[in-house]
């Protein structure tokens, strides 16, 4: 497995070298952290934060004129270790000016094939609406919470008890527990154009957000965006996420004001994506879990 990881990293570096994408290195420790509703950050004794992604720093470089950039780095997320999770993991992230999310899907597919992913068919591409109609039997952009509750009746696993009337909470349950496990069992599957309410850091076009996820054998492998460049809109999203975190008793890290300043200076039209290296290695090697790909997983670190 050590040799397989080294070979994968060499292949990734060769891929970006050939495409003249610049390798960069950004800080792991920061004064700011993500305020994403679904991601918890590690905080150090002095009040600093371990980064959950290099995204904000890389966007600052893009705004300063760095051009196409990539990096492999360690990131940290405060979550329970499990079959597909480790609190410390390795992330590949890259950004391409003048790309949209569809062009970036092309490059993600090219990278995985370059790295030795062997699948019988081309990667599948289907909209978020399409996968729900196929595997959950309702339209996720139109269904009410009452309709989703009725659809969940008798399903396994059953929905948590605390979903309430939140449409996004119900959609997350269906996507994570019902839809994703059914995807990517012959070849990896791109799911694109998520609901606008789940835009995260992506641009919104009408009722959908210009973002995608790559699912392989039911496992989320990559998350990509046609990146939001509007500083004021980004500040509003940060404020809304922080308010949600306060209302739900979550930690409220300081939002990254440096990112907002960089967006005001001008982020080029670009698309970006993050790929979990450990998960990719696990799937390529057909390992039983993430721990099998790590020299020292959380239990042995």
């Amino acid at each position: 497995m050590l040799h397989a990881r080294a070979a994968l990293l060499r292949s990734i570096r060769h891929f970006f070298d050939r495409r003249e994408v610049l390798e960069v290195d950004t800080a792991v420790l920061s004064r700011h952290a993500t305020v994403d509703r679904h991601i918890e950050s590690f905080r150090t004794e002095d009040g600093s934060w371990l980064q959950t992604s290099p995204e904000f720093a890389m966007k600052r470089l893009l705004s300063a004129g760095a051009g196409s950039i990539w990096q492999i780095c360690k990131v940290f997320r405060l979550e329970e270790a499990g079959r597909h999770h480790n609190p410390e993991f390795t992330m590949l992230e890259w950004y391409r000016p003048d790309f949209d999310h569809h062009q970036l899907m092309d490059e993600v597919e090219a990278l995985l094939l370059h790295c030795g992913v062997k699948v019988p068919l081309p990667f599948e591409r289907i909209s978020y609406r399409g996968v729900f109609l196929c595997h959950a039997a309702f339209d996720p952009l139109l269904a009410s919470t009452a309709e989703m509750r009725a659809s969940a009746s008798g399903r396994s696993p059953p929905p948590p008890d605390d979903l309430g009337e939140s449409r996004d909470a119900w959609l997350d349950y269906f996507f994570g527990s019902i839809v994703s496990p059914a995807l990517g069992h012959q070849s990896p599957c791109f799911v694109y154009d998520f609901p606008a309410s789940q835009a995260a850091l992506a641009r919104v076009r009408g009722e959908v957000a210009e973002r995608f996820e790559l699912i392989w054998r039911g496992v989320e492998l990559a998350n990509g965006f046609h990146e939001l460049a509007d500083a004021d809109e980004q500040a509003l999203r940060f404020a809304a996420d922080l308010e949600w975190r306060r209302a739900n008793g979550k930690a409220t890290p300081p939002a990254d004001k440096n990112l907002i300043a960089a967006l005001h200076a001008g982020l080029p039209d670009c698309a970006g994506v993050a790929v979990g290296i450990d998960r990719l290695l696990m799937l390529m090697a057909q390992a039983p879990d993430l721990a099998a790909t790590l020299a020292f997983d959380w239990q042995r670190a």
Side-chain angles (χ1 to χ4, degrees), residues 19 35 71 79 87 101 117 145 176-177 191 215 269 274 276 278:
R19 295 185 177 223
V35 295
Q71 75 169 302
E79 57 187 18
H101 56 309
V117 169
T145 54
S177 300
V191 179
I215 312 295
D269 183 15
D278 309 316

Side-chain angles (χ1 to χ4, degrees), residues 235-252:
L236 288 173
R237 291 189 193 180
F238 279 167
D241 285 340
L242 280 167
E243 181 57 35
W244 183 92
R245 295 184 69 86
R246 289 189 196 96
N248 287 273
K250 304 282 189 179
T252 54

Side-chain angles (χ1 to χ4, degrees), residues 108-120:
V108 172
E109 182 172 353
L111 170 69
L112 267 59
L113 294 175
H114 174 85
C115 289
V117 169
K118 293 179 174 61
V119 289

Side-chain angles (χ1 to χ4, degrees):
M1 192 63 75
L2 292 174
H3 285 281
R5 178 179 288 268
L8 176 58
L9 297 180
R10 282 195 301 271
S11 292
I12 292 169
R13 183 162 279 108
H14 180 249
F15 179 86
F16 287 113
D17 281 349
R18 287 180 58 186
R19 295 185 177 223
E20 298 184 342
V21 181
L22 179 67
E23 184 174 5
V24 298
D25 183 23
T26 59
V28 170
L29 194 64
S30 175
R31 296 182 178 88
H32 309 95
T34 183
V35 295
D36 188 295
R37 301 180 187 192
H38 305 294
I39 299 176
E40 301 300 326
S41 303
F42 282 96
R43 189 175 187 180
T44 64
E45 288 186 355
D46 69 351
S48 301
W49 300 85
L50 291 176
Q51 291 303 285
T52 61
S53 163
E55 178 169 5
F56 295 171
M58 293 182 78
K59 285 182 175 177
R60 290 167 63 187
L61 293 178
L62 286 162
S63 297
S68 294
I69 54 175
W70 74 279
Q71 75 169 302
I72 293 173
C73 60
K74 292 293 186 181
V75 294
F76 303 83
R77 298 189 180 182
L78 186 56
E79 57 187 18
E80 186 176 351
R83 185 183 173 201
H84 299 145
H85 297 276
N86 198 66
E88 175 186 350
F89 60 101
T90 305
M91 180 179 286
L92 162 65
E93 189 151 337
W94 79 93
Y95 292 85
R96 291 293 239 151
D98 301 320
F99 275 37
D100 63 15
H101 56 309
H102 291 285
Q103 291 168 297
L104 194 56
M105 283 188 271
D106 292 340
E107 191 160 66
V108 172
E109 182 172 353
L111 170 69
L112 267 59
L113 294 175
H114 174 85
C115 289
V117 169
K118 293 179 174 61
V119 289
L121 299 169
F123 289 19
E124 187 177 9
R125 300 190 188 193
I126 185 167
S127 70
Y128 186 93
R129 173 180 257 163
V131 293
F132 267 78
L133 289 171
C134 182
H135 297 288
F138 66 83
D139 188 328
L141 303 183
L142 300 176
S144 66
T145 54
E147 290 170 326
M148 287 188 271
R149 186 179 291 106
S151 180
S153 178
R155 292 189 186 263
S156 179
D161 295 329
D162 61 351
L163 298 185
E165 296 303 313
S166 169
R167 291 192 79 259
D168 282 325
W170 279 100
L171 291 175
D172 285 344
Y173 154 70
F174 272 99
F175 190 72
S177 300
I178 308 299
V179 175
S180 290
L183 300 178
H185 290 283
Q186 287 191 301
S187 295
C189 177
F190 288 106
V191 179
Y192 63 90
D193 285 357
F194 279 61
S197 59
Q198 299 181 19
L201 301 175
R203 298 183 182 212
V204 171
R205 185 186 74 255
E207 61 187 359
V208 300
E210 295 186 336
R211 57 172 289 213
F212 67 84
E213 289 188 10
L214 179 62
I215 312 295
W216 189 15
R217 299 184 198 140
V219 178
E220 178 194 341
L221 188 57
N223 194 6
F225 306 112
H226 190 188
E227 300 292 346
L228 177 67
D230 186 321
D232 294 333
E233 172 62 22
Q234 185 63 75
L236 288 173
R237 291 189 193 180
F238 279 167
D241 285 340
L242 280 167
E243 181 57 35
W244 183 92
R245 295 184 69 86
R246 289 189 196 96
N248 287 273
K250 304 282 189 179
T252 54
D256 195 337
K257 295 180 180 179
N258 292 326
L259 173 63
I260 301 300
L263 295 181
H264 275 298
L267 181 73
D269 183 15
C270 65
V273 64
V275 178
I277 294 296
D278 309 316
R279 287 186 181 184
L280 175 57
L281 183 57
M282 178 188 75
L283 292 165
M284 290 178 67
Q286 299 187 48
D289 51 37
L290 207 68
T293 74
L294 304 171
F296 301 102
D297 68 283
W298 183 244
Q299 298 301 323
R300 299 184 299 125

